[in-house]
Amino acid sequence: MTGFIVRRLGQAVVVTLGVTAITFLLLHLLPGSLAREIIGNRATAQEIAAFNHQWGLNSPLWYQYWKFLVELLHGNLGYSFSKNRTTDSLLASELPRDLLLGGLSLVLSLIIAVPVGIAQAVKRNGLVDYAGTGVSFFLYSMPQFSVALLLVQLLAITYHVFPAIVPQNESAIYLLTHPRPIVLPVLSLALVSYAAFSRFMRSSAIDTLAQDYMRTARAKGLPERLVLWRHLVRNSLLAVVTLVGLSIPTILTGTLIIEAVFNYPGAGLEYYNATLSNDYQVMLGITVLVGMVTVVGNLLADIGYALLDPRIRY
């Protein structure tokens, strides 16, 4: 296991470098000028040239990328010209709210999806299975913004149960202790995630039910409750572990679309605003951070395999 982790960490470095290189190149191929976005449309050619010289934007692309890597090694993700602050401080203030949004939605979706998926597998081709499949397909086929807008229309505009907009200047602790404003964003994310989790859980549980050790456990007279809990649930979770690992970046950075719909103050909304103002440093810093967390999420998923199934060896 130790050797596997070391190899994966080495691969993570290579993947992260690839993410930074591709993202850096694509962002610099975008049309528009950062200097003109910051100074204004009335900026003269001399003012633009001075701005580019001050921030090294007139240097060769390879040299700008090298400087970015050096700063990244020192923990510096860049500087937001539109916000007039470092990307590090920007993310430090926004990420706690992202952790709250993504964490609550992930936990809620798993709490619903795991027992529903198990119930569908146990009652396969029954009413419970057909109802769960219909709901899952309905939610899975809908874009996230559609689910969010429907919830806003139903629970915020029509019945005034929850607010449609999240307070902008409140901390994650305040939102956790006063959860009404974040109910709709969390529910929007949880419903879409639930659809994917429940389908994978059902499929994995059906495969597990056909295994010989399940028949052996029942033949030994083990109560059905213990058969389902000790053998079915644990072995069926292997498929869901992969999805959870890939969902870790969402926990960290939230979801851009959901944050834009509810004006939720998080890294996703900051990324959206950065695209509107051509703030390359913020877009690059957040993208690199998400790429690194994605690699870590995959590594944690692989480790989770071995913890859930002792037969797995790396």
Side-chain angles (χ1 to χ4, degrees):
M1 176 65 77
T2 303
F4 169 77
I5 294 176
V6 172
R7 291 194 301 271
R8 284 299 302 270
L9 289 176
Q11 295 173 6
V13 174
V14 176
V15 171
T16 303
L17 286 175
V19 170
T20 60
I22 295 174
T23 306
F24 190 88
L25 178 62
L26 291 177
L27 289 178
H28 282 75
L29 291 177
L30 291 175
S33 169
L34 176 61
R36 192 168 294 280
E37 288 287 341
I38 301 302
I39 303 175
N41 292 328
R42 296 184 179 181
T44 63
Q46 292 80 6
E47 291 173 336
I48 293 178
F51 181 89
N52 290 334
H53 178 74
Q54 177 184 358
W55 295 100
L57 299 178
N58 56 350
S59 302
L61 195 60
W62 67 266
Y63 182 73
Q64 294 184 48
Y65 177 65
W66 171 254
K67 287 183 61 178
F68 170 76
L69 289 181
V70 172
E71 293 294 329
L72 184 62
L73 289 176
H74 290 84
N76 183 9
L77 292 175
Y79 187 84
S80 173
F81 295 99
S82 60
K83 299 287 186 179
N84 195 27
R85 58 190 297 193
T86 62
T87 305
D88 308 64
S89 62
L90 187 66
L91 291 177
S93 62
E94 304 294 352
L95 285 182
R97 289 189 285 263
D98 284 312
L99 292 173
L100 178 66
L101 173 63
L104 289 178
S105 62
L106 178 61
V107 171
L108 179 61
S109 61
L110 288 174
I111 290 176
I112 301 174
V114 170
V116 169
I118 293 294
Q120 286 184 260
V122 174
K123 304 294 184 180
R124 186 181 180 186
N125 296 328
L127 179 61
V128 173
D129 187 23
Y130 290 141
T133 299
V135 172
S136 298
F137 282 162
F138 176 74
L139 293 174
Y140 194 73
S141 63
M142 294 181 65
Q144 283 185 339
F145 70 89
S146 298
V147 177
L149 293 177
L150 287 175
L151 291 176
V152 168
Q153 177 64 45
L154 179 63
L155 299 178
I157 298 177
T158 303
Y159 293 106
H160 306 285
V161 179
F162 301 107
I165 301 297
V166 180
Q168 295 298 296
N169 299 319
E170 303 297 346
S171 66
I173 296 177
Y174 176 86
L175 295 176
L176 184 60
T177 55
H178 301 79
R180 286 189 71 253
I182 65 172
V183 169
L184 294 184
V186 169
L187 193 58
S188 301
L189 283 174
L191 288 176
V192 177
S193 300
Y194 150 78
F197 288 153
S198 65
R199 297 306 300 165
F200 273 84
M201 192 66 191
R202 175 187 180 274
S203 177
S204 181
I206 289 176
D207 291 338
T208 303
L209 285 171
Q211 300 299 317
D212 292 336
Y213 58 81
M214 294 294 295
R215 287 190 289 268
T216 302
R218 288 194 172 103
K220 288 182 177 180
L222 194 67
E224 186 68 13
R225 176 179 58 85
L226 295 180
V227 171
L228 297 179
W229 177 251
R230 291 182 180 178
H231 299 282
L232 179 60
V233 174
R234 179 173 178 176
N235 290 284
S236 300
L237 284 175
L238 289 174
V240 180
V241 166
T242 303
L243 294 180
V244 174
L246 295 176
S247 300
I248 291 180
T250 303
I251 298 176
L252 184 62
T253 59
T255 300
L256 188 150
I257 296 176
I258 296 299
E259 292 187 6
V261 169
F262 294 99
N263 203 28
Y264 187 92
L269 184 61
E270 291 295 345
Y271 191 94
Y272 173 76
N273 293 331
T275 60
L276 298 180
S277 58
N278 285 332
D279 202 340
Y280 305 126
Q281 294 290 333
V282 174
M283 289 189 285
L284 182 59
I286 294 178
T287 302
V288 170
L289 183 62
V290 173
M292 295 172 63
V293 174
T294 302
V295 172
V296 173
N298 279 276
L299 177 60
L300 293 178
D302 289 335
I303 296 174
Y305 289 156
L307 295 178
L308 288 172
D309 191 346
R311 297 172 298 178
I312 296 178
R313 292 294 179 265
Y314 295 103

